[in-house]
């Protein structure tokens, strides 16, 4: 790293002599980074363009219903616990995490159900019901997933890949784990039944990857979930957001909403702070961007300052799919519907090709249905249910005009749900809103409206991903889905852990 001693110091507040860290964005990655920087002795300001913190975990309150906009499946809760511990507190003081079982109820297109859980005996029985010949293969797959989790998550998930040498060092291990295969390719080596292959390979979609393209490292999620469980934050995921904001404020930090950063200010190749859309400038000793990594480079920094993340390279990169999300509340309850349901459509591989490669909006779909009131009825008025349903759809390269398509698409999803899990749905709806790929771009500043940033294929992972310590700009750091290790709550919380290893000690800047 270039000499820190030469950097012009940000003006110190008379009352607060700590070096100043500005964090752009209040997603989970940004909030976790803020807590870690606060614990490292920085005065931290989180700047968020929306009117409330959370990013993809924004909370909509509407007609007595509480809707978490995004993440609802909490895995590896120890990553949250660590943040509370850094502040001398316990997560349980602020948030109750409740285990959810089954993790997912998978519904095949013919109506057959598969309860996916962390209980080895129950899983064996479900596999035996679906594909008796694959039970032994399933057990071997879980053993492989455990190995992948040890290496991919526990060893490499918290390591900064700042140099080619750091990547070269782990390559032999990655090759021995067959990380050049796709998740579906790996699963197919262990089990033969196509439906079981689908059940064991859909997980990358939860972090924006095509199971037929992302590195098999992501098959680690099966073990990660069994090892640490799947949890729900009582009161909604928003409780984790407000809990983290409380930790930051307790450290003397600030979370400022309605503050859109228009530019990262530079002195030569070094970040010196930010300029807001209002024209206000804020000086900083270090700048951490939790905004989408492609957006950060493309829109917050001038092209002339970028050697690695050029406009051309960003345009040619592969981006995750987007999502269409419909949030709705019903005047009745649907007690038979599980907390998390995956409704598989008639096609798997070809549907994913439509989404990721052909970039066309197909007439069929697979859906994830969230019914948080299955675990916490307080999220809806008495006697009602809160839901969201999401459909993976292509990002904005599809040229779909979501302003005119959104209502039609919502109705198609409503018909499917009404005909399968939620009878009388259209006449039971009390409240409704949608989030489209256009909103991912316009509201959350996601390049191409991708819901999870850069796609997690091998050639865009670890060293190949935008680094946590910017390759182009000194004193600029990245956290969140678009940097290493990647999307999902465990990923973005881990990116803040990596930050801890690359950001200078506050004492060195004081
Ligand atoms: C619908 C949905 C469901 C999901 N479900 C799950 C799940 O169940 N479990 C799971 O683990 N993961 C889930 N994910 C993935 C997970 O939510 C994300 O990967 C993660 O929350 C992203 O966090 P992040 O730190 O990258 O920040 P983000 O949440 O992307 O937040 C970035 C923030 O930066 C702000 N920002 C951007 N540009 C600027 C600017 N110029 N100035 C100021 N602020 C700016 C944005 O407004 C935003 O608030 C889901 C994602 C979606 C979309």
């Amino acid at each position: 790293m270039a000499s820190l001693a030469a950097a012009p110091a940000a003006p110190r507040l008379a009352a607060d002599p700590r070096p100043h860290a500005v964090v752009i964005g209040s997603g989970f990655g940004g909030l976790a980074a803020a807590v870690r920087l606060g614990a490292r002795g920085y005065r931290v300001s989180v700047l968020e363009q929306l009117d409330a913190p959370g990013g993809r975990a924004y909370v909509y309150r509407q007609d007595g219903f509480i809707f978490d906009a995004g993440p609802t499946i909490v895995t590896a809760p120890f990553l949250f616990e660590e943040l509370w511990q850094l502040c001398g507190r316990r997560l349980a003081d602020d948030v109750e995490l409740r285990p959810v079982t089954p993790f997912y109820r998978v519904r095949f297109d013919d109506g057959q159900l598969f309860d996916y859980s962390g209980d080895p005996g129950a899983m064996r029985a479900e596999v035996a019901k679906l594909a008796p010949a694959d039970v032994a293969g399933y057990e071997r797959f879980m053993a492989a997933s455990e190995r992948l989790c040890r290496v991919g998550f526990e060893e490499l998930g918290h390591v900064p890949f700042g140099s080619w040498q750091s990547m070269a060092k782990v390559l032999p291990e990655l090759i021995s784990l067959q990380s050049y295969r796709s998740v579906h390719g790996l699963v197919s080596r262990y089990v033969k039944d196509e439906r079981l292959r689908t059940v064991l390979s859909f997980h990358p979609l939860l972090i924006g990857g095509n199971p037929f393209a992302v590195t098999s490292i992501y098959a680690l999620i099966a073990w990660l979930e069994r090892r640490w469980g799947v949890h729900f934050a009582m009161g909604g995921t928003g409780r984790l957001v407000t809990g983290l904001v409380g930790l930051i404020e307790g450290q003397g930090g600030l979370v400022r909403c309605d503050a859109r950063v228009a530019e990262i200010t530079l002195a030569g190749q070094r970040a010196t702070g930010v300029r807001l859309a209002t024209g206000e400038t804020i000086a900083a000793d270090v700048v951490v961007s939790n905004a989408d990594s492609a957006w950060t480079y493309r829109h917050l920094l001038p092209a002339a300052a970028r050697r690695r993340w050029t406009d051309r390279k960003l345009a040619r990169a592969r981006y995750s799919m987007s999502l269409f999300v419909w949030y709705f509340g019903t005047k009745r309850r649907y007690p038979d519907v599980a907390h998390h349901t995956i409704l598989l459509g008639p096609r798997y591989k070809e549907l994913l090709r439509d989404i990721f490669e052909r970039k066309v909006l197909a007439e069929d779909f697979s859906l994830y249905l969230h019914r948080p009131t299955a675990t916490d009825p307080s999220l809806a008025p008495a006697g009602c249910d809160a839901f969201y349903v999401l459909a993976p759809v292509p990002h904005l390269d599809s040229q779909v005009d979501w302003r005119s398509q959104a209502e039609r698409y919502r109705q198609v999803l409503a018909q499917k749900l009404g005909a399968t899990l939620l009878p009388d749905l259209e006449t039971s709806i009390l409240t409704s809103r949608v989030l489209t790929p256009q909103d991912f771009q316009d509201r959350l500043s996601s390049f191409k409206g991708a819901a999870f940033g850069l796609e997690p294929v091998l050639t865009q992972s670890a060293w190949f991903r935008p680094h946590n310590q910017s390759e182009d700009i000194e004193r600029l750091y990245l956290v969140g889905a678009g940097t290493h290790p990647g999307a999902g709550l465990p990923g973005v919380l881990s990116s803040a852990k990596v930050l801890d290893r690359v950001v200078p000690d506050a004492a060195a800047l004081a």
Side-chain angles (χ1 to χ4, degrees):
M1 191 163 113
S3 161
L4 294 172
R12 305 261 182 271
L13 291 183
D16 193 339
R18 295 174 292 174
H20 189 206
V22 159
V23 179
I24 306 168
S26 67
F28 274 117
L31 295 174
V35 171
R36 290 185 173 276
L37 290 167
R40 295 274 302 276
Y42 284 91
R43 172 173 67 92
V44 182
S45 305
V46 180
L47 304 173
E48 169 56 54
Q49 63 186 355
L50 299 179
D51 63 354
R56 278 149 172 80
Y58 188 91
V59 179
Y60 297 111
R61 289 167 200 278
Q62 188 168 303
D63 299 326
F65 292 81
I66 298 175
F67 297 107
D68 283 315
T72 59
I73 297 161
V74 179
T75 44
F78 68 88
L79 291 168
F80 281 105
E81 190 68 60
E82 283 176 9
L83 299 170
W84 262 260
Q85 280 172 8
L86 282 172
C87 301
R89 314 256 325 268
R90 287 178 342 131
L91 173 62
D93 295 339
D94 293 323
V95 187
E96 182 196 346
L97 287 184
R98 181 110 20 121
V100 175
T101 198
F103 295 166
Y104 315 95
R105 175 159 296 156
V106 181
R107 183 189 184 279
F108 296 101
D109 203 37
D110 63 2
Q112 188 175 350
L113 302 177
F114 184 105
D115 273 0
Y116 188 114
S117 73
D119 177 334
M123 275 300 278
R124 218 175 292 122
E126 286 292 280
V127 172
K129 222 163 53 186
L130 185 71
D134 278 332
V135 173
Y138 163 71
E139 301 284 10
R140 284 187 287 115
F141 167 73
M142 286 308 291
S145 174
E146 180 179 3
R147 281 195 300 279
L148 286 166
C149 194
R150 292 250 153 82
V151 178
F153 180 65
E154 295 180 45
E155 280 178 35
L156 305 182
H158 309 136
V159 173
F161 282 97
S163 66
W164 169 241
Q165 290 87 326
S166 58
M167 187 76 201
K169 223 163 82 183
V170 302
L171 269 181
E173 198 156 18
L174 293 180
I175 291 168
S176 80
L177 289 168
Q178 305 184 9
S179 59
Y180 47 86
R181 288 187 199 283
S182 69
V183 168
H184 189 272
L186 187 83
V187 166
S188 300
R189 285 178 64 83
Y190 292 100
V191 299
K192 300 246 167 333
D193 183 90
E194 277 308 327
R195 289 189 302 176
L196 186 58
R197 285 177 174 176
T198 303
V199 167
L200 298 180
S201 69
F202 73 79
H203 281 96
L205 287 164
L206 304 177
I207 50 156
N210 179 351
F212 291 88
V214 300
T215 159
S216 62
I217 295 277
Y218 285 99
L220 67 81
I221 300 174
W223 184 259
L224 180 96
E225 288 178 341
R226 178 183 286 186
R227 169 81 177 77
W228 286 288
V230 163
H231 305 263
F232 183 67
M234 297 301 281
T237 308
R239 286 280 171 85
L240 286 164
V241 173
T242 42
L244 287 171
V245 170
L247 295 184
I248 295 163
E249 290 172 349
Q251 292 172 319
L254 175 78
V255 178
R256 185 173 154 192
C257 294
D258 295 314
R260 185 163 74 78
V261 170
E263 180 189 357
I264 295 169
T265 55
L266 301 176
Q269 287 298 109
R270 182 187 310 138
T272 58
V274 296
R275 185 175 59 76
L276 301 187
T278 54
E280 181 187 352
T281 55
I282 300 173
D285 295 284
V286 297
V287 175
V288 177
S289 182
N290 176 223
D292 176 43
S293 55
W295 193 278
T296 299
Y297 281 115
R298 181 75 179 72
H299 295 290
L300 302 185
L301 290 161
R306 293 181 270 126
R307 279 188 290 272
R308 175 145 187 207
W309 294 105
T310 59
D311 290 357
R312 188 155 173 268
K313 187 169 168 72
L314 291 169
R316 289 166 59 150
R318 291 169 58 148
Y319 293 87
S320 74
M321 81 288 193
S322 194
L323 298 172
F324 179 91
V325 196
W326 174 35
Y327 311 86
F328 57 96
T330 56
K331 64 183 178 197
R332 56 163 287 193
R333 301 203 80 206
Y334 290 92
D336 296 338
V337 177
H339 189 136
H340 303 291
T341 305
I342 312 269
L343 278 100
L344 293 169
R347 299 183 304 152
Y348 187 47
K349 186 173 187 177
E350 287 305 310
L351 174 64
L352 293 170
R353 283 190 72 190
D354 281 349
I355 296 170
F356 285 90
E357 292 169 34
R358 299 185 198 107
K359 304 208 170 52
V360 295
L361 183 61
E363 284 307 309
D364 60 326
F365 37 72
S366 286
L367 305 173
Y368 159 65
L369 179 68
H370 182 225
R371 179 174 168 254
T373 34
T375 304
D376 185 353
S378 78
L379 297 167
C384 300
D385 261 339
F387 289 95
Y388 79 56
V389 63
L390 67 77
V393 293
H395 63 54
L396 290 175
D397 276 0
S398 67
Q399 308 297 328
V400 173
D401 177 5
W402 283 103
R403 290 176 194 91
S404 62
Q405 288 298 310
E407 176 53 18
R408 181 195 71 82
Y409 200 66
R410 185 203 68 74
Q411 286 177 16
V412 175
L413 300 193
Q415 276 162 16
K416 177 74 180 178
L417 291 174
T420 51
L421 294 177
L422 308 178
D424 307 322
L425 177 59
E426 279 288 22
T427 54
S428 302
I429 295 167
L430 281 182
T431 192
S432 166
R433 69 181 303 138
V434 299
L435 187 74
T436 73
Q438 195 65 44
D439 296 317
F440 278 97
Q441 177 178 273
D442 298 348
R443 192 179 147 76
L444 289 159
S445 302
S446 303
F447 197 57
K448 296 181 190 262
F452 304 84
L454 284 171
E455 197 187 350
V457 289
L458 190 57
T459 51
Q460 296 189 156
S461 296
W463 180 79
F464 299 107
R465 219 165 168 77
H467 294 181
N468 307 82
Q469 176 175 356
S470 171
E471 305 92 307
D472 286 327
I473 307 292
E474 268 176 64
R475 303 272 188 111
L476 174 64
Y477 302 86
L478 271 65
V479 290
T483 182
H484 172 67
L489 300 187
V492 304
L493 296 178
S494 296
S495 76
K497 276 182 92 160
V498 179
L499 177 81
D500 251 355
R501 296 177 63 169
V502 295
V503 85
D505 274 333
L509 305 179

